[in-house]
Amino acid sequence: MTNDTDCTTLQSYSYMSEQITKYIGVFLYIICLFGTVLNILTLLQRTYKTRSCTLYLITASACDFAHLNLEPLSNILQYGFNYDWTINSLIYCKTKSYLAYVFTVTSGTLTTSASITQYFLSSDKSTRWYYARRLIGIRCIKFTFIFWFIVSIPILFCSDRFYHIFQKERLICSNPARHIYCYTVQLLYICLFNGFLPPFIMLIFGLLTHRNVHHLGQRTRHKSIRIQRINQQLISMLILQAIKSTIASIPYSIFNCYWLSTISNHKALLLQAKENLIHQFSYLLFWSNYTSFFIYIYSSQIFRHQCMKALKKIICCRSGERERR
């Protein structure tokens, strides 16, 4: 009787995990994709276009868009709809994991760089303004891409296909961390570089920027009140983004640290099922990092106005195309 009860419980956990991915995962994917596209269109408006900070955010949003169509989409298809084409080959598995990590960690680095740029721009020391220039931003973006494309190479060697007991014995693509080398890669790359560090650095520089603006008062680099408002609202956007990223990233990092610390322990199937479900929730929460659009809309009146302008342009273009046909 106990075995039957345990079996039923395990099936319930497995079914729940699948339904969460199918419905909540799809919903999150759609709003993240929608928000990311609107981020890019809004930040390309003339009001933001010339700023170094905005350049970082546009590129970060483009990286988010690429990542959403690699890792989250393949996970939804596989875990939610039992569609296994995403891991037909080991080469595809390794390449997908590598590129997905490069895009997500580059996005985090660039968003952090945007926060640091606003800190430099708010400083009363003119020597720091140099680092907030658009040319410096372009160079930093190029360096960031090259850096993470090289540094992330260990992800290629640790990504593998293996059978997962709670995925109906299907092959999944991940880092099983079976060797000390891959264990270290998981700890550094997932928990630290892509988990704890970016939101904390963003939060620190956001608060420092807020302090600078408060101390400087009206003595800013720009005389235009509108430009001051844009900069102040960009600061608010980035501080709230840092708070949201902290809430979204830390649970996933903590779970990965727990999983790595207990990976060699013998675990009952029921415990593994519970861990699998917790992992599912923390991973979906991590996806909310890609909902920055809603933070920007909430925290910036100028961003809302520019977003409406971008949407009107799209609607006018579509209407013009229909009339020509």
Side-chain angles (χ1 to χ4, degrees), residues 182-325:
C182 292
Y183 178 97
T184 308
V185 166
Q186 185 78 3
L187 184 65
L188 289 177
Y189 285 70
I190 305 301
C191 300
L192 190 62
F193 298 153
N194 202 30
F196 291 112
L197 280 182
F200 278 131
I201 295 173
M202 280 178 62
L203 194 58
I204 289 167
F205 277 98
L207 294 174
L208 289 173
T209 304
H210 180 74
R211 186 196 65 179
N212 282 352
V213 171
H214 178 73
H215 286 171
L216 287 172
Q218 297 300 318
R219 296 184 297 110
T220 59
R221 183 183 177 187
H222 302 288
K223 302 297 181 182
S224 166
I225 294 175
R226 176 171 170 77
I227 293 176
Q228 289 181 22
R229 281 184 62 210
I230 292 170
N231 285 330
Q232 287 170 0
Q233 290 186 20
L234 277 170
I235 292 166
S236 299
M237 287 160 60
L238 290 168
I239 290 175
L240 286 177
Q241 167 77 348
I243 294 170
K244 179 187 70 69
S245 294
T246 304
I247 295 169
S249 301
I250 299 306
Y252 185 62
S253 300
I254 290 173
F255 177 82
N256 272 279
C257 288
Y258 160 79
W259 177 70
L260 287 170
S261 65
T262 61
I263 195 170
S264 58
N265 295 353
H266 177 72
K267 299 177 185 178
L269 286 176
L270 189 57
L271 177 59
Q272 292 182 53
K274 291 177 180 178
E275 288 179 354
N276 186 59
L277 192 62
I278 293 170
H279 173 262
Q280 194 77 9
F281 275 113
S282 64
Y283 185 56
L284 289 174
L285 183 62
F286 183 78
W287 285 11
S288 63
N289 275 315
Y290 308 115
T291 57
S292 56
F293 168 77
F294 301 99
I295 294 293
Y296 299 161
I297 281 284
Y298 170 78
S299 59
S300 173
Q301 183 182 8
I302 295 172
F303 187 89
R304 287 196 295 272
H305 177 68
Q306 295 302 315
C307 181
M308 293 304 298
K309 280 179 65 177
L311 287 173
K312 285 177 183 177
K313 283 183 181 179
I314 294 170
I315 293 168
C316 288
C317 288
R318 293 293 298 272
S319 300
E321 286 178 5
R322 286 176 184 173
E323 287 174 4
R324 286 169 196 165
R325 290 174 185 173

Side-chain angles (χ1 to χ4, degrees), residues 16 48 51 91 98 165-166 219 249:
M16 197 185 304
Y48 293 112
R51 301 170 185 281
I91 293 174
Y98 169 70
I165 189 171
F166 296 109
R219 296 184 297 110
S249 301

